[in-house]
Each structure stands twice: as C-alpha cells, then as structure tokens.
Amino acid sequence: MLSNISKNLRTCTGYLHKYCSTSVAAIENKSNAIEPRTLAFPPKYQDPRQIWLESLDTIDQRKLALLELHPAVFAASPRIDVIQQNVRWQQLYRYVSYAHTKNKFEVRGGGRKPWPQKGLGKARHGSIRSPLWRGGGVIHGPRSPTPHFYMLPFPKRLIGLTSMLSVKFAQDDLHIVDSLELPTDEPGYIEELVKSRLWGPSVLFINLEDIMPRNITVATEQVKHINLMPAYGLNVYSMLKHNTLVLTRAALDHIENKLLENLHMNDPKAVLAKFKVDQC
Amino acid sequence: MSLRCYFSQLLRSRLSAHSNTYKNSVRHATYKASPFAEDIEPTVKYEVSKNPEEWKYVERALPLTIVPQPIRKESYPSGWKPQTEDVKKLPYLVQRTKNHMIPVYLQISQRGVRRHTFVRKIQGDINLLEQELKEFLQKESFQPIRSQVNELTGIIRINGDHVNAIKYFLEKKNL
C-alpha cells in the first residue's frame, strides 16, 4: 500500500515542489493509514488525474495523501454547451408562469350588441369587449398557470455532470477532504479556513449521507455562501453557482462509481424512455 | 366481510341462478362494484434459502446492469475484433463504445442526398488521424475528401459514405 503511494509520489515530485510547501518525506510518514484509490473501469488511454486529500482539522492546508481520479469523470471534454442546457433545464423544470390575461368572454360586460348592424354608417360590432376595442379581451395572451416542465435526455444530464466536475477540477476548484468533521462549531473557524485556503467566497460541501456532522452544520447555518449537500443532490447548477466544490472521500467514491456505472449501463431502455408524470 | 361485499355476492348468486352466462362475467366496471383488495397468500409451496452457493444461480439469471468485458479469444464467429490492449503508446485512440463497437456512423440528411461519416470518441492527436484517414480514403475517390475536425468533442466528420472503409482502416490498426 505504502509502496504504491510512494511510487505515485515519486512520479509527481516535479509538480510537488512547484506547488506545495510540505515536503514529500513528511507526507510519506503521515500517509501510512491512507489507502490509495482503486479505479473502477480502469482507464486505458488517458492517465488517471491526481488530487490531494486534505483535512478540515486545521485552518492551514494539510496534505494527507495523493488520490487518483478517473479521467472519464474528472477529465472529460468540457462541454459548456451541455452545461448550459443542464442549467437551463434546472431553472425551467420547476418554473411556472403565473402571467394571466382575460379573453373576450372573461372581460366583464360586452354581452349586448353596441349598435345595430346596419343603417348607422358605423363599423359592425357585436361586443364592446371584442379584442378590437379598447378595454377588450386579449388574443393569445399568457394563461396562468403555464408549467415549463420538461426532462433533459439522460445522456445529456450525465455529460453535464462529468463536464462540470471536469471543469471544476481543471480550474483547481475541486478539493477532496477526509471528512466534514470540524474541531469547533464556531462560524468564524470555517470562514477563516475558506479564506486562508483561497477557496473563493462560496463553497459547496458534499457529504455521502444527508445527515452531516454536527459542528459543520451549526457553523454554516448562518453563513449563506457556505452550503452543505448530500451526494445524491449533486447537480450542475449548484456546482456552477459555488466557486469551490469540496467532496468528502466517501462522496467522491460514490459519485465516481455511480457516474461510471451509468456510462457503462447495459440496458438504458428505462432511462431513455419518455418521462411520465406519474412515474416513480 | 363488509356489507358491500355481501351484497355483491348475493347479487352474483341471484344472477347465476338466472343464467350461466353471468357466472363468469364479473366486470368490476365501477369502483363500488369492485371487491376489496386482500392479501393473497402464495399457493405454491416454497422454502427460504440463504445459501450463497444457490444465490449464484439466481445472480446468473438476473439481467446484467453493466456491459461485461469480452472474453479474449483468437477469433470470433461474427468477425468482431477487440481493441488492442496496449493503446498507451499510440498517438491517438478511437475509444470503443460501451458495447465494444467501433464508433463510426453514417448520417443521411437532405432527403438522402447528403451523406456524412462521423468518427466519434477520438482521444489524442485528432489531426494526425484526420490526415491518415484522408490519405487512406483518397485512393478510392476521384474528388478530394472533405473533412471537419471537432477537437473539443473528439469527432471527425467526413463527406461521403466511408463507414466500412474507416472501420477496416481502424481494425487493421487494432483500434
């Protein structure tokens, strides 16, 4: 196990000296207990990407180990067009337009013929609420409620997630931590940590389960730009909305395996079928 | 038994006394006429087993959720060939689809007039592959081969129907 890590470290020493203040030897001693990742569906052509495993124990960044990421998920081609489609879908599927206009029959009055059909030299009219009249009904106006619900095709949702994760990784906005345990429940601690590690104002923490550790829940409750989310809630819009994405290692394993399984799905008939409103 | 069920059974028995044709035609056409849902006890005798050896046979019968890896053989009856294992050294790779097929497709549009061949899932030096494909296809063509490279999506589009030629070219390279 250790030999595996040290082999990885030796290959990337060139990078390390550039970016990290901690010496490699110190990391090797510390990383005794940390297991390297084994990638499902091992990549054939692209090299696995590498990322530091960090901890939220201290305010200063402490590098615990070097982890490998699957290139199909974290080094996919950044399809910003598909990302845009995902964001549009997420905004629209829950949007209901309440704009409303009244048609000729709904506007009050107008039941009587205003003047006789013939003999006055005036234009013929049957109702004072006709759309030709001032104060009359509206033709083809917006009718409330108008749902804008639609489903984006499953492969596009999948490409959206892999593209967004790849973009976050490529822009150095993805961080992996061992757990979301904090030493204190003071909001100042997590804010100071985010500031000192240059994690950008807004941070999205992803945990595997939806029951989060107590300290981080209490600390971030009043801080509106630091948010917590379970792994099943991961979505393109939230990732794009936050500057930095922080995954726990368990969440990383879950998300990567889930995406890879879906990329190698045997019979996609069920997910490609037309969406029915009453489907569960 | 509820009152409703009792009445419906009474009615049914009366009707069956009149004629045998009503006997088998219970329609449950309305909600009120339909019987109450009851737990149906299985009539077949069974026993619960938690033996992992037996569970293997159940697993074998379950549908696969993930496309399996092909078993390596010398040759296959269908003529399909697997991709070579050592792809790391190649300057480019046309990655197989999840079903282990070569991703070369024909798109027919303009009511059958326009035929475009798409090579998808290209990784590495896409321009080199385009050059090699052009050289390969040019031998059989009178006109210059027109093509377009999309580096972001890893797709080469070539004018004309060259699907089988490109598949032959890639298979010869063990891709």
Side-chain angles (χ1 to χ4, degrees), chain B residues 10-113:
Chain B
L10 198 74
L11 186 70
R12 238 173 272 155
S13 62
R14 287 264 177 95
L15 287 172
S16 63
H18 272 289
S19 141
N20 267 339
T21 51
Y22 288 104
K23 203 173 183 179
N24 296 325
S25 61
V26 187
R27 296 193 179 188
H28 307 316
T30 63
Y31 168 70
K32 283 193 173 173
S34 59
F36 283 95
E38 287 166 15
D39 286 341
I40 302 163
E41 293 288 321
T43 51
V44 186
K45 279 186 182 173
Y46 66 94
E47 55 179 295
V48 178
S49 163
K50 299 206 171 172
N51 186 3
E53 280 300 312
E54 286 181 339
W55 179 249
K56 275 183 195 167
Y57 293 98
V58 180
E59 267 187 342
R60 207 173 63 178
L62 291 173
L64 292 171
T65 52
I66 287 166
V67 184
Q69 286 298 315
I71 302 158
R72 288 269 162 186
K73 287 182 198 170
E74 283 289 306
S75 66
Y76 298 82
S78 65
W80 173 86
K81 280 180 197 162
Q83 196 166 40
T84 175
E85 282 289 321
D86 49 339
V87 291
K88 282 262 179 188
K89 297 163 204 161
L90 298 169
Y92 56 81
L93 175 75
V94 181
Q95 196 192 329
R96 290 287 173 104
T97 66
K98 66 178 177 180
N99 293 319
H100 311 291
M101 305 299 278
I102 299 174
V104 181
Y105 307 103
L106 179 68
Q107 192 193 63
I108 300 175
S109 57
Q110 307 275 337
R111 294 174 296 283
V113 176

Side-chain angles (χ1 to χ4, degrees), chain A residues 3-271:
Chain A
S3 65
N4 227 337
I5 298 171
S6 51
K7 198 177 77 190
N8 286 339
L9 287 177
R10 235 169 283 136
T11 52
C12 67
T13 340
Y15 286 27
L16 289 182
H17 286 307
K18 237 190 276 175
Y19 297 117
C20 95
S21 51
T22 337
S23 71
V24 177
I27 299 154
E28 276 192 43
N29 290 336
K30 276 179 200 166
S31 63
N32 284 349
I34 291 161
E35 221 176 309
R37 296 189 74 217
T38 47
L39 301 180
F41 306 100
K44 280 183 180 168
Y45 190 69
Q46 280 181 299
D47 291 327
R49 298 305 193 259
Q50 289 179 323
I51 196 166
W52 286 112
L53 178 68
E54 300 167 36
S55 172
L56 300 179
D57 291 345
T58 52
I59 283 183
D60 293 328
Q61 197 173 29
R62 198 158 59 83
K63 288 155 183 166
L64 302 177
L66 204 55
L67 298 180
E68 290 197 331
L69 302 175
H70 201 291
V73 177
F74 291 95
S77 61
R79 292 287 301 269
I80 49 172
D81 52 337
V82 182
I83 290 173
Q84 189 272 341
Q85 287 171 21
N86 270 269
V87 170
R88 190 186 121 89
W89 167 64
Q90 281 191 264
Q91 284 170 334
L92 277 186
Y93 71 69
R94 60 180 179 174
Y95 170 65
V96 178
S97 170
Y98 292 105
H100 189 77
T101 51
K102 287 181 175 174
N103 65 21
K104 170 181 164 179
F105 304 105
E106 286 164 351
V107 184
R108 193 181 181 88
R112 190 184 60 169
K113 193 168 176 68
W115 50 74
Q117 181 83 350
K118 295 173 86 71
L120 296 179
K122 288 172 141 187
R124 45 199 177 186
H125 282 292
S127 162
I128 61 159
R129 297 305 182 204
S130 149
L132 302 183
W133 283 57
R134 182 187 156 276
V138 179
I139 320 168
H140 302 314
R143 307 290 289 171
S144 168
T146 309
H148 290 253
F149 179 89
Y150 70 101
M151 282 306 277
L152 199 67
F154 183 80
K156 282 202 172 165
R157 282 178 267 157
L158 206 58
I159 296 170
L161 284 172
T162 53
S163 297
M164 200 62 235
L165 285 169
S166 305
V167 167
K168 282 283 167 200
F169 176 69
Q171 295 181 342
D172 206 12
D173 285 333
L174 180 74
H175 295 273
I176 311 293
V177 293
D178 53 354
S179 77
L180 294 185
E181 294 287 350
L182 296 186
T184 163
D185 61 3
E186 294 287 315
Y189 176 83
I190 188 81
E191 280 179 329
E192 186 60 37
L193 184 144
V194 165
K195 200 179 169 190
S196 73
R197 295 193 192 182
L198 303 176
W199 278 3
S202 58
V203 186
L204 180 66
F205 288 96
I206 306 282
N207 195 20
L208 177 57
E209 283 110 23
D210 44 12
I211 297 168
M212 312 278 173
R214 186 191 167 275
N215 279 353
I216 195 163
T217 316
V218 175
T220 59
E221 197 174 6
Q222 300 300 326
V223 189
K224 294 200 171 169
H225 52 273
I226 299 180
N227 293 310
L228 308 177
M229 194 181 263
Y232 63 73
L234 188 75
N235 61 83
V236 172
Y237 184 85
S238 301
M239 279 195 271
L240 199 65
K241 198 81 179 157
H242 293 81
N243 291 100
T244 305
L245 179 69
V246 181
L247 307 173
T248 63
R249 191 178 162 167
L252 166 72
D253 289 340
H254 175 77
I255 291 162
E256 195 187 272
N257 286 336
K258 197 99 183 168
L259 289 173
L260 285 172
E261 273 175 23
N262 281 317
L263 286 170
H264 294 87
M265 193 190 283
N266 188 22
D267 186 11
K269 207 186 280 172
V271 290

